[in-house]
Amino acid sequence: MVETTLSSLSELNQAAVAEGPRYEQKLDKQGRAYATGKRKNAVARVWIKPGTGKITVNGRDVEVYFARPVLRMILQQPFGVAKRVGQYDIVASVAGGGLSGQAGAVRHGLSKALTNYEPELRSPLKKEGFLTRDSRVVERKKYGKRKARRSFQFSKR
């Protein structure tokens, strides 16, 4: 371990900037990047590799699985920010939750997989909030209530 003596705060600041966190490319044996994405109760496992832009979710084409255009738009958002539209093939398997939560989970996993494949994309994706796990989940039902907060109708008699 090399010890250096710093004489001022500006030298300390320059040393900290020079040694920023280094992110490296993480690929498997097939040359794919993998990440797990989560949203509500949905969990998505996402693999990306360079290709023509083909997206497969649970063995089906994205137009079949996510029939609503809004859900497909959610999946394309990380590529739009990273300016990589149509450059990667995506294979995703999703479980749990509804279609909206599953689309959000795939987007989260896709953003993480993109940063594993191209670490320099971390900054723009993080700025847009795609790397943050949305922790909002459905509130549980409470004992003595009709729903999580809704009470039974009050009757005086």
Side-chain angles (χ1 to χ4, degrees):
M1 186 171 144
V2 179
E3 290 189 29
T4 56
T5 310
L6 302 174
S7 60
S8 68
L9 283 173
S10 62
E11 288 180 18
L12 178 65
N13 191 22
Q14 289 171 354
V17 170
E19 296 175 14
R22 299 255 186 267
Y23 298 103
E24 43 243 15
Q25 191 179 42
K26 296 183 186 112
L27 302 178
D28 63 6
K29 291 178 180 115
Q30 286 92 22
R32 303 175 301 182
Y34 167 79
T36 306
K38 296 181 180 181
R39 170 88 167 70
K40 292 187 177 180
N41 281 335
V43 180
R45 299 182 302 161
V46 182
W47 291 268
I48 65 166
K49 64 180 179 190
T52 58
K54 182 170 171 34
I55 303 174
T56 309
V57 181
N58 285 356
R60 289 188 271 174
D61 197 42
V62 71
E63 281 81 20
V64 175
Y65 196 84
F66 293 120
R68 284 188 278 164
V70 174
L71 300 177
R72 291 197 300 270
M73 181 203 71
I74 288 173
L75 267 81
Q76 294 295 334
Q77 285 176 332
F79 289 125
V81 170
K83 298 178 179 68
R84 301 285 191 276
V85 178
Q87 294 183 17
Y88 289 101
D89 287 345
I90 304 159
V91 176
S93 63
V94 196
L99 283 178
S100 176
Q102 288 184 350
V106 172
R107 181 182 80 171
H108 183 226
L110 181 58
S111 303
K112 286 168 64 177
L114 268 173
T115 59
N116 287 342
Y117 202 89
E118 293 186 58
E120 63 272 7
L121 293 178
R122 182 174 169 83
S123 171
L125 289 171
K126 191 164 176 65
K127 198 180 292 179
E128 291 294 322
F130 294 149
L131 296 176
T132 306
R133 199 269 199 223
D134 191 352
S135 60
R136 297 176 297 170
V137 292
V138 177
E139 190 174 350
R140 74 169 195 87
K141 183 193 175 303
K142 312 305 187 298
Y143 172 76
K145 299 270 188 180
R146 210 169 93 195
K147 290 166 55 175
R149 297 184 181 207
R150 171 94 166 91
S151 298
F152 295 106
Q153 184 169 348
F154 174 75
S155 173
K156 201 169 197 177
R157 301 186 206 325

